[in-house]
Amino acid sequence: MAIDPRNPGATYLSFWRERHVCTLTTLRQDGTPHVVPVGVTYEPAAGLARVITNKSSRKIANVLAAGPDGARVAVCQMAGRRWATLEGRAVVRTEPELIADAESRYAERYGRTPSVNPDRVLLEITVDRALGRA
């Protein structure tokens, strides 16, 4: 079911505020999918989803390999019969203030502050498609 990513509705947004492990799908250079568990935060008003991670991770390498415009990615979560997917273009952000904001959003959603990591970067996804049944 298609959803307006900027105005997803209360039930869908509530589902994205619950504590769930998500998956992130990026594409390797050979075109095969790379799927890993991640924590995701979603800010529909800004049209953004955020994933904090280590700069040396395969997911970051996959996004960087796509070039300066970023890469198409998808993040997904499920709980029983409820599910939600956000798709969009991801870029790697290294600005300390953006990483700190993403860490704060992560702490709010997941109930724990991420440990200090000087190698942390932000995968910022400009969401252009939302699907689900929440």
Side-chain angles (χ1 to χ4, degrees):
M1 165 182 277
I3 303 206
D4 180 351
R6 293 267 184 156
N7 187 21
T11 303
Y12 191 82
L13 185 54
S14 176
F15 185 47
W16 275 105
R17 289 184 174 146
E18 295 172 10
R19 187 176 193 270
H20 295 287
V21 173
C22 304
T23 61
L24 167 70
T25 303
T26 60
L27 296 179
R28 297 180 184 96
Q29 286 188 298
D30 67 2
T32 59
H34 177 256
V35 184
V36 294
V38 294
V40 176
T41 61
Y42 175 35
E43 184 186 5
L48 296 175
R50 296 174 179 89
V51 175
I52 53 175
T53 189
N54 197 302
K55 68 182 178 184
S56 64
S57 69
R58 169 52 44 200
K59 57 190 157 287
I60 294 300
N62 291 342
V63 171
L64 290 173
D69 292 334
R72 292 288 303 174
V73 302
V75 290
C76 182
Q77 67 181 23
M78 61 173 283
R81 292 181 177 212
R82 298 182 306 154
W83 63 275
T85 298
L86 303 172
E87 298 178 19
R89 184 153 304 276
V91 295
V92 178
R93 304 296 298 257
T94 59
E95 299 92 324
E97 66 278 6
L98 295 179
I99 294 169
D101 177 63
E103 290 170 335
S104 175
R105 292 171 188 278
Y106 178 96
E108 182 179 331
R109 180 174 188 199
Y110 290 98
R112 71 171 195 82
T113 301
S115 59
V116 175
N117 179 354
D119 292 329
R120 181 169 288 133
V121 294
L122 167 62
L123 192 62
E124 186 178 78
I125 305 163
T126 301
V127 178
D128 59 22
R129 183 177 295 159
L131 308 164
R133 189 171 304 274

